[in-house]
Amino acid sequence: MYEAFYGLKEKPFSIQPDPDFLFFGFRHSMAYAMLEYGIQNKAGFSVICGEIGCGKTTLVRHLLNNLGSDINVGIVYNTHQDIDDLLSWIMLAFEQPYEGLSNVALFDAFQRFLIERYSQGKRVVLIVDEAQNLSAGALESLRMLSNINVDKDQLLQIVLVGQPQLRDLLRRPELTQFYQRVAVDFFIPPLQPFEVVKYINHRLQIAGREDKLFSPAAAKLIAQASGGVPRSINILCDMVMVYGFSSGASVIGLKIVKEVLKDRAEYGVLA
Ligand SMILES: Nc1ncnc2c1ncn2[C@@H]1O[C@H](COP(=O)(O)OP(=O)(O)O)[C@@H](O)[C@H]1O
Ligand SMILES: [Mg+2]
């Protein structure tokens, strides 16, 4: 809609977790370094938590694109599953056959898959997104999978990604054994206000905009209204640009942001 008007090749503020738009805020850089560290050092479990919309899935997708060919990665997104289904989803994540197999057969097939990769000199990393939805039983079965080994070498590394409830879940007394195996445990909070300004400019630049589009005051108000949560920043910025385009504004000033916030408070469903 407004892309051509603002000199953009594509929409800069989509809410898809597109790694091409990834902005490395301070905590995102740290989280990424921790994930890389965990994988390099063969950590059994790594845990990354954060509120909804803070960039967890985007970061994981970036990781996926940047791991070497010696590492086999599978991602499970669909975690509203009971334990039995989980194994099927894991097989699917690694493009392995799973249909019509009993739970025992699935476990066996997965174990054989791990051993085969190991013998090829490849490592296997399983990423479970939205892991806060897993039951304690499902976590326990993940722990069992991570126990599979050959000559003391663990064959599977697991990265759990989820909302803050994941931490509460892992701290339950019955999961002590599990928690002790977690080597990397990191939290991604919302962006700091000064980072929000950079974040907005970064996304605009990736989308093809050369010159500044948002005034400093406009970006500051967006930082405040969004609480620094990237997903909320995107929704707000998109709306602000629609308003800007509709009124023929060549740059986005404070007035437009205020207008959007006022309308949202009065009529919006998201207010
Ligand atoms: N660091 C970041 N850089 C660029 N975009 C981000 C960043 N963090 C979040 N986003 C954007 O915010 C939205 C929500 O991000 P997502 O990764 O789905 O969050 P989460 O998985 O934590 O709920 C997506 O549009 C995503 O591209
Ligand atoms: Mg996510």
Side-chain angles (χ1 to χ4, degrees):
M1 181 191 192
Y2 51 65
E3 287 95 317
F5 182 71
Y6 285 123
L8 298 156
K9 296 189 301 256
E10 58 186 314
K11 276 186 76 178
F13 298 107
S14 138
I15 53 167
Q16 298 305 317
D18 182 348
D20 289 346
F21 280 90
L22 185 60
F23 165 77
F24 275 102
F26 176 62
R27 299 288 291 191
H28 291 96
S29 304
M30 293 274 288
Y32 192 70
M34 298 287 274
L35 274 174
E36 275 193 316
Y37 171 83
I39 290 174
Q40 300 300 338
N41 288 282
K42 306 190 176 161
F45 282 96
S46 302
V47 177
I48 300 286
C49 289
E51 299 289 350
I52 302 175
C54 281
K56 304 180 296 295
T57 301
T58 313
L59 199 68
V60 161
R61 297 225 169 143
H62 177 73
L63 179 76
L64 196 68
N65 292 343
N66 286 278
L67 287 174
S69 57
D70 59 325
I71 301 181
N72 222 279
V73 192
I75 302 195
V76 172
Y77 294 103
N78 197 338
T79 50
H80 283 285
Q81 303 298 327
D82 56 33
I83 312 164
D84 296 1
D85 279 351
L86 187 62
L87 265 173
S88 301
W89 285 98
I90 292 172
M91 291 292 274
L92 178 66
F94 289 104
E95 295 169 346
Q96 297 298 303
Y98 63 93
E99 274 167 297
L101 298 180
S102 73
N103 222 12
V104 175
L106 282 168
F107 186 88
D108 184 51
F110 188 60
Q111 185 159 345
R112 276 188 280 117
F113 162 75
L114 291 177
I115 292 170
E116 182 198 306
R117 291 299 138 108
Y118 178 75
S119 65
Q120 295 166 347
K122 293 198 174 193
R123 283 199 279 141
V124 181
V125 177
L126 170 67
I127 301 176
V128 183
D129 201 356
E130 302 290 350
Q132 77 281 347
N133 295 328
L134 294 172
S135 63
L139 283 168
E140 189 52 31
S141 63
L142 284 179
R143 191 176 69 82
M144 273 173 59
L145 291 179
S146 85
N147 274 342
I148 299 171
N149 61 69
V150 169
D151 298 336
K152 288 190 192 154
D153 272 342
Q154 244 173 272
L155 304 192
L156 177 68
Q157 291 176 256
I158 300 177
V159 178
L160 300 179
V161 179
Q163 292 166 28
Q165 305 90 285
L166 174 61
R167 273 191 164 169
D168 303 336
L169 179 64
L170 293 177
R171 285 185 182 138
R172 283 202 208 153
E174 69 265 33
L175 289 170
T176 311
Q177 249 192 323
F178 188 106
Y179 199 69
Q180 284 166 347
R181 303 273 305 277
V182 174
V184 168
D185 177 11
F186 199 77
F187 189 82
I188 306 180
L191 296 169
Q192 299 281 322
F194 78 93
E195 291 180 305
V196 174
V197 179
K198 291 185 178 174
Y199 171 89
I200 292 173
N201 290 333
H202 174 81
R203 290 197 70 113
L204 285 165
Q205 216 173 24
I206 303 284
R209 170 85 187 190
E210 304 285 338
D211 307 325
K212 282 260 161 65
L213 182 57
F214 286 57
S215 77
K220 210 170 141 190
L221 182 56
I222 289 170
Q224 199 188 330
S226 63
V229 174
R231 188 171 194 276
S232 309
I233 299 171
N234 285 14
I235 293 170
L236 195 51
C237 284
D238 185 54
M239 197 47 83
V240 161
M241 289 177 74
V242 174
Y243 272 53
F245 169 71
S246 308
S247 58
S250 58
V251 290
I252 305 290
L254 185 61
K255 204 168 138 234
I256 299 173
V257 182
K258 280 187 173 165
E259 202 182 324
V260 169
L261 290 173
K262 183 168 156 282
D263 283 358
R264 198 169 72 165
E266 275 178 30
Y267 314 113
V269 275
L270 301 170

